[in-house]
Structures are given as C-alpha cells and as structure tokens.
Amino acid sequence: MPGTSGVQAGPRPRRNSDSVWPPRRSIRQSVARIGVFSWVLTALLVVDVGATPHAAAASTLQAHGALQREAAPAIVSHRGAALLAPENTLAGIEAAVQTGADFVEIDLRRTQDGRAILMHDPTLDRTTNGMGWVREYTLGQIRSMDAGSDFDPAFAGERVPTFEEAAAVLAPAPVAVLIELKDDWSDAQLVPVIEHLRDRQMVNRVVLQSFNLATMEALQRVAPEFARALLTRELGDEIVDLALDLGVSCVGAKGALFAAVPGAVERLRAEGLGVAVYTLNSPDEWQFAADSGIDLIITDDPAALRAWHRDRASAAQSTPQ
Ligand code: G3P
C-alpha cells in the first residue's frame, strides 16, 4: 500500500542500448551469490527441521474420520479401569488391558519436582493415604504413599505410577491410549512426555487430550504429529470451529451435554471428527451413546461394556431379517 512501508519507490531505470537492467554480473559474482543463497537455504531448513523434527510422520489416528466408528462405539477404559482397580494405577491399566478395551484413558499431573505422574485430582486426598496438593510434593514423597488401600485392601501397597512406568506397561500392550493432560502444561513441560512417547514408538496409538485451551495449543506446537482430542463443557458451532483450528481428531464431552444439544454429534462427525462421551457406566447410557452415533464410550467398567456389546451383537444376529 502506498505510503505505509516507509520505502519510497524511485523511478524504474529505463532500458537502452547503453544500460542493462538488471545489471549483468560477472560469473564470479553469480557463483558467490549462489553459494550464499544455498548456505541461507540450508540454515533455514536446519532451523525448521530442528523445530519440527517429526513433521513427516503424522499419526494414522489423525486422518479424517480415523476416530469414528461405524459398527459399535469403541471401549475406552476410564482412569485405568476405575471400577475394577484403584484409578490411575498400574493395576488399573493391567485390568483394562485384560478386558480387551480399545483404549485405556489415564490422567497426567506434575509433581513439585516436575515429574509426570498418573493422578486425576489436584490433591492427594481421595486416592492416596496422603493429603494436600499434588504440586506441593516431590515424586519421592508421593511414591511413599499408598494408592490402593482406599479402593480395596487387596490393593494395599499400590503406588502412584510415573508416566514412564505407565508407558512401559502400555507400549507392548494391544491397546490404544488416551492421555489427559490435567490443567496447564507449557511447551517445555510437555516435551519430555512427548519425547518419551516418540522413543517408545507410540505415536500411532496415542491420543492426547485436555480441557485446557493453553495446553491444547501447546500440544499443537509440541506434538503436531499426534492425534489430539478437545475436551469441552459446551457444544456449539464455536466448539466445532475451535476443534478445527486446533487440528484435533476428536471432541469429548459428558453424556448429559450431548443429550442437551441435539445434532451436536452429527455436526462434529460431518467434519471427520470422532466423538467421545464420558463417563457412561450403565446399559441405558451405552444405548443412548450408540443411538446417538457416538464413536468412543469412556467407562469405568470396560468388562461390562464389552459384555453388553457382545450381547447386542448376538441379539442382532439372531433377529430374523
Ligand atoms: O476422558 C475424558 C474424561 O476422563 C474426562 O473426565 O473427570 O475423568 O477428567 P474426568
């Protein structure tokens, strides 16, 4: 736009037989310029690759519709398997895998010394024999607490797992993983988690999710090749737009919200997004989810949901056409 750049455009030199525009350069000048150009291009590529070394290997779960299910909703075992074992423990993860769940969902928080651990609540009170804010205790202190007895004395001695311990159990298991980042995570705080998942070759089996917008934006920068899910407490066109802006593959919300906003599931699915619902533990609720076209059911009782799926499938087979 004239006058906005501060750079005045001078008269363009006219061509004539005595002057050539652009002026001719010597071969030596041209070679020098090509050399400088190549060096700058290489430097830019190195900087760019350094910023996004994984850009070439997008997760298969990122593809349009990859988290949609046409036959029956996928089974997502909640907080490990919250009805079968103490939540967010290795025992819970193992129980979930045993049921044949499609996904295991876990929650991550950070300790005072910056370690990622499996923990849903911001405090230790409900799920351990300790008390207080998770963020005020070191990993060593939290590891000394019992995370099993309150659930059932049979689980006494169960510890709060580190993220790395959970990944070691999940990496060889035939299951996908839904990881919820609780509260806000900066790019730097996410990097060790994301690098660990990459090192364990789990990119194609992990979906990263959060309610927290800043965390979702950080994930978009730090983990662009991973499938990501937006958790929301409201549904509407602005959430569809936000999901598309964030580049997520799935949107998750509680069952009552889907019931209150008819058409929301169809609207999200029309964009190729998977739709997840939490936390449904009864056959009536599972039926609602299946009838609504929801793709992933998050449940505390993956064994019962699996049995329900089996019963429905055999009832459908035995129904005369
Ligand atoms: O995966 C979504 C679901 O777990 C969200 O609910 O309360 O368990 O974090 P909450």
Side-chain angles (χ1 to χ4, degrees):
M1 239 196 299
T4 55
S5 67
V7 176
Q8 298 294 314
R12 192 181 173 93
R14 288 223 300 266
R15 290 174 189 235
N16 60 41
S17 52
D18 300 327
S19 69
V20 176
W21 186 264
R24 289 201 185 104
R25 299 183 191 100
S26 69
I27 291 176
R28 187 177 297 178
Q29 280 174 317
S30 298
V31 168
R33 277 177 177 245
I34 289 168
V36 169
F37 176 75
S38 318
W39 184 88
V40 170
L41 188 63
T42 307
L44 284 173
L45 283 171
V46 166
V47 167
D48 187 47
V49 167
T52 54
H54 36 265
S59 166
T60 51
L61 297 178
Q62 257 191 14
H64 186 96
L67 285 169
Q68 296 185 342
R69 296 290 179 273
E70 300 308 331
I75 300 172
V76 183
S77 189
H78 189 223
R79 304 185 194 170
L83 212 80
L84 308 179
E87 70 179 51
N88 280 312
T89 61
L90 297 184
I93 291 172
E94 281 155 7
V97 173
Q98 291 277 319
T99 68
D102 301 293
F103 284 81
V104 179
E105 191 255 5
I106 56 174
D107 302 288
L108 296 192
R109 286 189 180 276
R110 294 181 310 280
T111 62
Q112 187 197 56
D113 46 347
R115 294 292 300 277
I117 57 168
L118 273 60
M119 181 70 60
H120 179 274
D121 295 3
T123 63
L124 297 155
D125 305 34
R126 185 177 60 84
T127 55
T128 76
N129 63 349
M131 281 178 68
W133 299 100
V134 174
R135 62 168 186 266
E136 292 180 354
Y137 287 84
T138 64
L139 176 63
Q141 289 169 322
I142 291 174
R143 294 287 284 182
S144 71
M145 297 169 189
D146 184 307
S149 297
D150 273 359
F151 180 85
D152 189 315
F155 289 96
E158 192 71 35
R159 300 288 154 204
V160 174
T162 62
F163 160 67
E164 292 82 2
E165 284 174 321
V169 174
L170 288 162
V175 73
V177 189
L178 186 55
I179 300 176
E180 182 178 346
L181 285 310
K182 285 292 184 190
D183 296 337
D184 53 325
W185 291 65
S186 68
D187 293 28
Q189 288 163 340
L190 285 170
V191 164
V193 171
I194 301 306
E195 284 299 332
H196 193 79
L197 292 169
R198 286 180 186 136
D199 290 348
R200 286 200 171 273
Q201 318 278 318
M202 292 178 76
V203 174
N204 287 316
R205 282 201 291 130
V206 166
V207 179
L208 301 158
Q209 64 173 2
S210 186
F211 283 104
N212 186 290
L213 184 56
T215 299
M216 290 304 299
E217 289 169 344
L219 283 172
Q220 193 175 18
R221 289 188 293 272
V222 169
E225 85 275 37
F226 281 78
R228 286 161 277 122
L230 173 66
L231 289 170
T232 178
R233 294 190 178 88
E234 51 192 283
L235 284 170
D237 285 348
E238 65 290 348
I239 293 298
V240 180
D241 293 343
L242 178 61
L244 297 175
D245 285 350
L246 289 168
V248 301
S249 306
C250 183
V251 170
K254 65 180 178 185
L257 191 55
F258 286 115
V261 187
V265 174
E266 290 79 1
R267 178 81 183 83
L268 292 163
R269 294 188 92 246
E271 300 291 350
L273 298 163
V275 178
V277 62
Y278 64 86
T279 304
L280 308 188
N281 290 330
S282 73
D284 283 353
E285 292 173 316
W286 299 333
Q287 189 65 55
F288 161 77
D291 293 345
S292 307
I294 282 171
D295 300 291
L296 299 99
I297 297 178
I298 300 171
T299 182
D300 293 322
D301 195 348
L305 176 52
R306 195 167 165 76
W308 184 78
H309 272 330
R310 256 198 312 266
D311 292 349
R312 273 179 88 225
S314 50
Q317 265 183 353
S318 57
T319 304
Q321 297 298 308

